[in-house]
Amino acid sequence: MNINLTLLSQAVAFGIFIWFTKAFVWPPLLKAIEDRQKTIADGLAAAEKGKAAEADAKQRIEAELAASRTQNQGRLADAEKQAHALIEQAKKDAETEKARIVAQARAEAAQEVQRAKEQLRNAVADLAVKGAEQILKREVNAGAHADLLTQLKAQL
Amino acid sequence: MAAGTELTPTSYINHHLTHLPATIGDGGFMTLHVDTVVTSLLLGIIGFGLLRWIVAGATSGVPNKRQAFVEMMFDFIDEQVKGVFHGDRHKFVAPLALCVFVWVFLMNSMDFLPVDIMAKLYELMGLHNWRSVPTADVNTTFALALSVWGLMIYFNFAVKGFGGFMHEIFCTPFGSNPLLWIFNLLFNLVELISKPLSHALRLYGNIYAGEIIFLLLGMWAATGLAGTVFGAILGAGWAIFHILIVALQAFIFMMLTAVYMAMAHEGH
């Protein structure tokens, strides 16, 4: 155990190593670790925020869904009502159209009957004249007997 | 093992416990233990150089394994210092603790090297007396302890001021009555003197004793077959136990350093 100059030289070396550690080893390591801690803390905070935003969005979507559902129901009801109204309208239109067509057909039929009667009348008049001709064996003068024929036709 | 001399137990032990001296001037004090100085400096330069290299490439992103290892050590020491020191530890005390721990651990670790094989290697390099373990040299442990002590005195003055420090020396722990001043002073002087003594001698004693036991086991191993077998088994056992001692002593030295610094920063 002899104390000598070694002690001083070791003390100087110690001092240099302390300075080196304090200046070049500790601060960069501390900075790296603290930066990482901050990054992790930020990441956790961001995740928390994201979670909150997700919950918020979910709620909003839920509300929007509910709103659109009621809106849809309203629209469906409206459409049904409209369809009913349209059908009613169409029925009514068809009813009137039918009435109109039937009336027209009746009128046409009546006209037809009128025309057929007219023809029949003419034909009967001709037939009567021919019959009379046959019976009298001579020509009836249509011009001379026009008045008679018209009288006859009117009686048919 | 100097060539030509007869190998006796005494010469064996003496050989292993003799430093390589370099005489600088007259008198016993003006010598330098070249082995202690060179080994400790090499270990310091390699150790702190390695740390600096890893730290220079440190990223705040995902660390590689090198960096993770250094960060584990950093965190361990930082936690310990945080436990005893309640100030801005990053300014000085924590780096000091890291420096002490790394250096003392590396110097203690030289004890793992087998003494006789290393002695042969050193002899091949032409070094006849070369002790590998710097902390088994009382000069190293006192250099560290007294440096820490000096820092402690400095912080006592710097933090508490001259008056504050004097008040602490004269008025604690018994009280501020003038009749008690002398007792307070004596008590504090004993404390001030015992601090570096216990700090230095605890480390020195543990490492030196560990070395001696390796040497004794080595001597036993030279006495015959039974001695070789038991010497080897006990040597292995002691070496395994020594892993604990090396780390534990480095840790204790670091903790005491932190505690002394904390005491210098805070009043009683």
Side-chain angles (χ1 to χ4, degrees):
Chain A
M1 239 180 91
N2 43 347
I3 302 284
N4 56 30
L5 209 56
T6 314
L7 193 151
L8 282 183
S9 91
Q10 293 291 79
V12 171
F14 185 43
I16 293 170
F17 287 141
I18 292 173
W19 165 78
F20 185 83
T21 309
K22 183 188 166 315
F24 298 115
V25 176
W26 193 268
L29 206 51
L30 182 69
K31 191 181 174 302
I33 289 174
E34 280 182 343
D35 282 357
R36 185 177 317 126
Q37 277 172 339
K38 198 180 166 304
T39 311
I40 291 171
D42 287 355
L44 286 177
E48 204 60 44
K49 215 183 285 175
K51 229 181 250 169
E54 193 200 338
D56 201 40
K58 231 178 225 168
Q59 221 165 10
R60 220 170 35 223
I61 288 166
E62 210 60 57
E64 239 153 76
L65 264 180
S68 69
R69 222 174 273 141
T70 49
Q71 212 171 8
N72 266 5
Q73 258 157 2
R75 268 192 200 146
L76 268 178
D78 276 358
E80 221 158 294
K81 220 187 283 172
Q82 213 167 351
H84 268 299
L86 276 176
I87 289 168
E88 284 311 311
Q89 184 64 40
K91 265 185 190 161
K92 222 181 279 173
D93 285 356
E95 216 59 62
T96 48
E97 186 70 7
K98 184 181 110 184
R100 189 177 68 77
I101 288 168
V102 167
Q104 198 177 11
R106 274 203 187 122
E108 266 172 22
Q111 235 169 0
E112 207 66 28
V113 167
Q114 198 60 39
R115 206 179 295 137
K117 269 185 184 162
E118 204 70 37
Q119 274 175 353
L120 203 59
R121 214 178 266 141
N122 283 339
V124 169
D126 284 349
L127 203 63
V129 170
K130 280 220 173 102
E133 262 179 9
Q134 294 271 320
I135 296 169
L136 296 177
K137 296 281 191 202
R138 65 173 173 108
E139 184 122 16
V140 177
N141 190 350
H145 303 286
D147 291 341
L148 186 69
L149 279 173
T150 315
Q151 236 171 352
L152 209 64
K153 267 181 209 168
Q155 275 171 9
L156 276 172
Chain B
M1 263 161 272
T5 52
E6 199 193 348
L7 190 63
T8 65
T10 317
S11 71
Y12 173 76
I13 295 277
N14 268 337
H15 165 74
H16 275 299
L17 294 184
T18 307
H19 285 288
L20 180 64
T23 309
I24 308 294
D26 295 328
F29 184 75
M30 296 305 282
T31 48
L32 212 57
H33 291 163
V34 179
D35 44 6
T36 300
V37 172
V38 168
T39 311
S40 61
L41 276 182
L42 271 179
L43 287 173
I45 289 167
I46 292 170
F48 293 112
L50 214 61
L51 272 183
R52 171 64 197 165
W53 172 62
I54 293 168
V55 163
T59 163
S60 59
V62 179
N64 55 22
K65 290 190 175 58
R66 281 200 307 269
Q67 194 190 336
F69 173 74
V70 173
E71 282 183 8
M72 256 166 62
M73 190 171 68
F74 175 98
D75 213 43
F76 169 71
I77 288 168
D78 197 37
E79 281 296 311
Q80 302 299 331
V81 174
K82 194 162 77 180
V84 294
F85 183 78
H86 308 105
D88 182 12
R89 61 183 185 282
H90 298 303
K91 220 172 79 190
F92 184 77
V93 179
L96 172 68
L98 177 71
C99 174
V100 167
F101 182 74
V102 169
W103 203 28
V104 172
F105 185 86
L106 288 176
M107 291 193 289
N108 286 354
S109 302
M110 292 303 284
D111 224 359
F112 291 137
L113 301 174
V115 278
D116 285 308
I117 294 174
M118 291 314 289
K120 268 276 177 296
L121 282 179
Y122 294 136
E123 202 140 334
L124 285 177
M125 289 190 268
L127 305 164
H128 290 301
N129 287 307
W130 188 274
R131 288 179 60 186
S132 317
V133 193
T135 40
D137 181 349
V138 78
N139 285 295
T140 306
T141 63
F142 264 112
L144 292 171
L146 286 174
S147 302
V148 170
W149 189 73
L151 285 169
M152 188 181 81
I153 300 287
Y154 165 74
F155 280 121
N156 262 317
F157 279 118
V159 174
K160 298 166 187 163
F162 183 78
F165 188 37
M166 286 303 122
H167 180 267
E168 196 176 296
I169 281 187
F170 283 100
C171 298
T172 56
F174 301 122
S176 53
N177 190 322
L179 285 173
L180 294 171
W181 282 7
I182 184 74
F183 298 108
N184 286 328
L185 175 66
L186 282 174
F187 188 89
N188 281 314
L189 277 184
V190 169
E191 198 186 322
L192 271 178
I193 292 167
S194 68
K195 266 178 187 167
L197 272 179
S198 66
H199 202 192
L201 291 179
R202 180 181 293 106
L203 178 61
Y204 167 70
N206 273 282
I207 304 302
Y208 187 75
E211 216 184 357
I212 294 278
I213 287 178
F214 277 124
L215 293 178
L216 292 177
L217 289 170
M219 265 167 58
W220 193 17
T223 56
L225 184 64
T228 309
V229 170
F230 283 110
I233 292 171
L234 286 176
W238 183 242
I240 291 166
F241 183 55
H242 221 68
I243 296 172
L244 177 70
I245 293 180
V246 161
L248 192 66
Q249 288 306 320
F251 173 69
I252 289 173
F253 204 88
M254 184 270 284
M255 272 320 279
L256 281 175
T257 302
V259 168
Y260 290 166
M261 288 296 117
M263 284 167 81
H265 280 77
E266 290 156 20
H268 278 283

